């Protein structure tokens, strides 16, 4: 429906005499109507247009109306009633109600889009009398600016709702780590929460099939049994060059609109989209550091369901799931009674620690390694047979490593070094393995690591051997481990602590010394035991060192 309505040729009239207009004798009022930006027409009791203002006529001219632009003498009701447009039919019904006296006025909003502009209007019809005759004042007000603002607010509200839902799922994933859940528990909960939301229709999580050609569905929600069977065909589908492959291989989120027509999605995915009427989906890689655990696929009916802001929120969700998976694997590694133990040998120049040992004729033993973020590691190594200044001078000439001496001892010294690249330790940590021992001597690094049962051992091995010609996998074996109970842990700690060290640990803990802010000071605890503050701190630090060593499974002296 457009204001004024376009008439067909059978309603074409000769220009009527303007003197016949009811307002022709009221030039002041007519001038006021013509000054309005709102399109105004007056209908008589039969629905015929007897007056239009300048805004009405300008609109008709600019939109190519078939009638003379003023449309005087056109039967407005008849044109509306014969139109196939539902909005025109609504207008006719409302005007008839006003003319029939069942209501004094009528209004509604409707779209009136042109070829190059999206527009919205409000039509209002108001009944009035003049010289004993009934008339209807019809106004068409352009509300496009207001409507666009409302649509922007609606879009922002939808995005906010999406962000809130995704953030809620992220929180649930992180909270679930405290409940000791499994990967299957997390995957099932995520798919169910997304499928039951008001914004999305279904979700599933996929990973590479065993032959690396297709994909297997690990968890799903929101599908019928028929479409579940269709998705299972992904196992044998050719997924090369598709968004699924890109998301998993490159770790990038892929949004696809127009799933019916998209040529970059596997056949089973397209079949499911047609069956459910999906118009868009989002593929979110599930990653932690360099490990990709699969991808989350979220389906929606809306053609543009995933804005840039929503994609960013799902990126956070993918990272949170990946972090959760890694934490679960580490927990399994800590409590497993069997792990896969890998032993590697790497020669210089493919190992920075091996290079140091070769250039300075020293022995390098890894004490511990801590991820420092952005693909870097902070390593703590004990070096023997060479003075610190010789080692530091050698490191200055190596790319990707910085170091400083932590402490010098009688026969060796402790070195802290930050490794950014060029070490097989980096991929091991990034793929979730635990480095158990590393020793470099005469230009060769011997390295052992443990991988939790159920982890992708092949990916870990390939990551270490990749681009390192001298690297060799010397052995891979399943190793049984004894499980230490809480009681056994406490007994081992008692064996390491002296009575005074244990007293200081317990006193500091119960007195709130470790709280932030502290509820008591070291001096106050020392006074309560009638010892000096330095003595308290010495016992406390020694006790904490033994506790940390036991927790991290390191041998500590008494």
């Amino acid at each position: 429906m457009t204001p004024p309505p376009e008439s067909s040729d059978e309603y074409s009239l000769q220009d009527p005499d303007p003197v016949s207009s009811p307002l022709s004798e009221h030039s002041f009022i007519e001038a006021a109507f013509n000054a309005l930006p709102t399109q105004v027409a007056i209908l008589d009791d039969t629905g015929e247009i007897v007056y239009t203002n300048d805004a009405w006529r300008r609109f008709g001219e600019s939109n190519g109306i078939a009638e003379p632009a003023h449309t005087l003498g056109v039967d407005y009701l008849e044109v509306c009633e014969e139109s196939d447009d539902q909005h025109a039919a609504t207008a006719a019904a409302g005007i008839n109600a006003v003319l029939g006296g069942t209501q004094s006025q009528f209004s509604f909003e409707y779209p009136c889009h042109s070829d190059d502009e999206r527009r919205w209007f409000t039509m209002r019809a108001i009944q009035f009398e003049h010289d004993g005759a009934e008339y209807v004042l019809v106004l068409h007000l352009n509300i496009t600016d207001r409507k666009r603002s409302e649509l922007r607010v609606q879009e922002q509200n939808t995005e906010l709702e999406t962000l809130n839902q995704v953030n809620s799922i992220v929180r649930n994933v992180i909270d679930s780590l405290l409940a000791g859940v499994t990967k299957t528990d997390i995957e099932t909960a995520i798919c169910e929460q997304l499928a039951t939301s008001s914004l999305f229709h279904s979700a599933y999580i996929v990973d590479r099939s065993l032959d690396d050609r297709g994909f297997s569905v690990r968890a799903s929600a929101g599908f019928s049994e028929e479409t579940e069977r269709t998705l299972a065909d992904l196992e044998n589908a050719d997924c090369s060059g598709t968004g699924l492959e890109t998301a998993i291989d490159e770790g990038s989120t892929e949004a696809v609109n127009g799933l019916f027509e998209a040529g970059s999605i596997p056949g089973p995915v397209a079949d499911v989209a047609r069956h459910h009427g999906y118009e868009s989906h989002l593929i979110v890689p599930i990653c932690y550091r360099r490990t990709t655990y699969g991808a989350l696929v979220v389906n929606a009916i809306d053609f543009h369901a995933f804005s840039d802001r929503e994609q960013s929120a799902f990126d956070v969700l993918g990272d949170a799931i990946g972090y959760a998976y890694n934490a679960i694997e580490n927990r399994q590694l800590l409590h497993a009674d069997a792990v896969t133990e890998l032993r590697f040998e790497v020669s210089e120049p493919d190992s920075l620690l091996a290079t140091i040992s070769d250039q300075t004729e020293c022995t390098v033993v890894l004490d511990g390694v801590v991820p420092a973020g952005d693909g870097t590691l902070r390593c703590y190594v004990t070096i023997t047979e060479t003075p610190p200044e010789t080692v530091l001078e050698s490191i200055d000439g190596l790319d990707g490593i910085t170091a400083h001496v932590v402490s010098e001892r009688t026969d060796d010294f402790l070195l802290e070094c930050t490794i950014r690249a060029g070490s097989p330790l980096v991929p091991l940590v990034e793929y979730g393995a635990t480095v158990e021992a590393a020793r470099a001597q005469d230009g060769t690094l011997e390295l052992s690591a443990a991988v939790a049962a159920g982890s992708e051992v092949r990916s870990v091995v390939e990551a270490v051997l990749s681009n390192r010609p001298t690297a060799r996998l010397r052995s891979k074996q399943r190793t049984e481990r004894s499980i230490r109970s809480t009681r056994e842990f406490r007994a081992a700690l008692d064996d390491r602590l002296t009575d005074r060290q244990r007293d200081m640990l317990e006193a500091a803990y119960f007195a709130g010394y470790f709280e932030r802010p502290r509820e008591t000071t070291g001096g106050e605890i020392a006074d309560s035991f009638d010892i000096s503050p330095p003595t308290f701190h010495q016992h406390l630090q020694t006790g904490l060192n033994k506790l940390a060593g036991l927790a991290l499974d390191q041998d500590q002296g008494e």
Side-chain angles (χ1 to χ4, degrees):
M1 176 186 174
T2 61
E6 295 187 16
S7 305
S8 59
D9 289 343
E10 63 182 288
Y11 295 111
S12 296
L13 302 171
Q14 297 295 323
D15 288 353
D17 184 357
V19 177
S20 63
S21 170
L23 295 182
S24 60
E25 299 178 359
H26 306 282
S27 59
F28 177 77
I29 298 175
E30 187 170 9
F33 272 110
N34 285 333
L36 291 173
T38 303
Q39 298 137 36
V40 177
I42 296 178
L43 315 183
D44 64 15
D45 58 358
T46 68
E48 181 179 306
I49 298 175
V50 296
Y51 170 80
T52 55
N53 72 342
D54 285 347
W56 183 284
R57 292 188 285 274
R58 287 194 301 270
F59 188 90
E61 291 170 351
S62 62
N63 286 272
I65 192 169
E67 299 295 335
H70 56 65
T71 65
L72 296 177
V74 173
D75 190 328
Y76 189 91
L77 279 176
E78 187 173 4
V79 173
C80 289
E81 290 169 347
E82 292 189 356
S83 172
D84 293 332
D85 186 79
Q86 179 59 45
H87 301 299
T90 301
I95 293 172
N96 276 320
V98 173
L99 286 172
T102 58
Q103 58 189 83
S104 60
Q105 57 179 295
F106 165 80
S107 67
F108 82 111
E109 295 181 3
Y110 63 94
C112 180
H113 305 319
S114 66
D115 293 338
D116 56 359
E117 183 183 11
R118 290 172 59 82
R119 303 174 301 194
W120 289 265
F121 288 81
T122 290
M123 192 211 82
R124 183 177 297 275
I126 304 171
Q127 185 271 339
F128 70 95
E129 293 184 7
H130 179 70
D131 288 342
E134 299 288 336
Y135 296 94
V136 176
L137 179 67
V138 177
L139 304 93
H140 291 273
L141 176 63
N142 190 322
I143 59 168
T144 299
D145 289 342
R146 192 203 79 194
K147 197 68 179 179
R148 286 173 178 166
S149 296
E150 290 176 353
L151 290 176
R152 282 195 296 269
V153 171
Q154 182 180 344
E155 291 174 357
Q156 291 170 355
N157 288 339
T158 300
E159 289 184 359
L160 182 59
E161 183 180 354
T162 303
L163 293 175
N164 287 337
Q165 290 193 15
V166 174
N167 288 336
S168 176
I169 294 173
V170 171
R171 288 194 299 271
N172 290 339
V173 169
I174 295 173
D175 291 344
S176 67
L177 296 177
L178 303 177
V181 299
T182 65
K183 290 183 184 178
T184 302
D185 295 331
I186 292 177
E187 292 174 347
T188 301
I190 288 170
C191 290
E192 289 179 349
Q193 288 185 55
L194 289 171
T196 55
S197 74
S198 60
L199 302 173
F200 315 113
H201 190 274
S202 61
Y204 56 99
I205 292 177
V206 298
D207 199 3
R208 288 281 193 184
S209 57
L210 294 177
D211 61 4
D212 282 341
R213 183 170 179 268
F215 289 87
S216 59
V217 179
R218 293 205 304 254
S220 63
F223 298 103
S224 62
E225 291 185 8
E226 178 182 354
T227 49
E228 288 276 9
R229 290 192 293 271
T230 301
L231 279 178
D233 293 338
L234 279 172
E235 185 82 26
N236 301 312
D238 184 3
C239 299
S240 58
T242 66
L244 285 173
E245 184 179 64
T246 301
I248 290 181
D249 290 352
E250 300 181 9
S252 60
T253 298
E254 297 287 318
V256 180
N257 295 321
L259 288 175
F260 294 172
E261 296 80 18
S264 61
I265 60 175
V269 175
D271 293 340
V272 170
R274 292 188 190 96
H275 182 83
H276 287 285
Y278 298 148
E279 288 286 359
S280 62
H281 75 190
L282 188 69
I283 308 172
V284 186
I286 300 173
C287 305
Y288 181 75
R289 292 180 179 157
R290 287 176 55 181
T291 303
T292 300
Y293 295 95
L296 168 67
V297 183
V298 187
N299 297 306
I301 302 295
D302 186 6
F303 191 87
H304 295 289
F306 304 102
S307 67
D308 291 342
R309 191 178 301 176
E310 288 157 345
Q311 290 182 42
S312 297
F314 274 100
D315 286 340
V316 174
L317 176 59
D319 291 342
I321 300 172
Y323 174 82
Y325 287 176
N326 180 263
I328 290 171
E329 289 183 350
N330 286 338
R331 186 172 63 212
Q332 291 173 341
L333 190 60
L334 285 173
H335 300 287
D337 55 358
V339 298
T340 299
E341 187 176 88
L342 306 173
R343 293 184 181 275
F344 298 92
E345 183 179 286
V346 188
S347 299
E348 62 90 22
D350 296 325
S351 164
L352 291 171
L353 298 185
T355 300
I356 293 172
S357 72
D358 181 62
Q359 292 184 355
T360 63
E361 299 181 351
C362 69
T363 298
V364 182
V365 177
L366 181 69
D367 294 332
V369 57
V370 180
D374 297 328
T376 63
L377 298 179
R378 186 167 286 115
C379 300
Y380 297 88
V381 296
T382 295
I383 296 181
T384 57
E385 304 164 4
T386 302
E389 55 271 15
T390 302
V391 173
L392 292 176
E393 182 179 350
S394 172
I395 289 175
D396 284 341
L398 299 177
D399 292 332
I401 184 170
T402 58
H404 74 274
V405 176
V406 177
S407 64
E408 296 187 47
R409 298 175 290 233
T410 303
D411 299 320
D412 56 33
F413 64 93
L414 178 63
L415 186 75
E416 179 189 286
C417 54
T418 300
I419 296 176
R420 295 176 178 82
S423 171
L425 297 174
V426 175
L428 279 173
V429 174
E430 288 183 338
Y431 276 85
T434 297
V435 179
E436 297 200 317
R439 179 186 179 90
Q441 190 174 22
D442 299 328
T444 300
L445 173 71
E446 295 180 353
L447 174 65
S448 65
V451 181
S455 298
E456 185 55 61
V457 177
R458 183 183 63 180
S459 297
V460 177
V461 173
E462 290 178 349
V464 174
L465 301 183
S466 176
N467 300 320
R468 295 179 178 87
T470 67
R472 300 287 184 273
L473 176 64
R474 290 306 184 189
S475 67
K476 180 181 72 172
Q477 61 182 358
R478 187 178 176 87
T479 303
E480 300 295 326
R481 287 186 170 181
S482 60
I483 302 298
R484 177 185 289 167
S485 67
T486 302
R487 179 176 297 177
E488 290 171 336
F489 179 88
R490 289 174 176 170
L493 183 61
D494 284 340
D495 288 340
R496 295 189 179 194
L497 296 175
T498 65
D499 291 340
R500 181 59 86 180
Q501 290 164 1
R502 185 179 188 87
D503 290 343
M504 295 304 103
L505 275 175
E506 291 180 344
Y509 177 79
F510 291 117
Y513 179 79
F514 300 115
E515 299 293 331
R516 289 292 180 271
R518 285 178 174 169
E519 297 176 0
T520 188
T521 67
E524 292 170 339
I525 298 175
D527 288 343
S528 67
F529 282 89
D530 197 21
I531 58 177
S532 67
T535 301
F536 162 75
H537 287 293
Q538 180 182 357
H539 288 313
L540 181 63
Q541 288 299 114
T542 302
L544 288 173
N545 186 50
K546 292 179 178 179
L547 175 60
L550 185 61
L552 298 175
D553 201 24
Q554 300 291 324
D555 290 332
Q556 300 288 330
E558 294 299 325

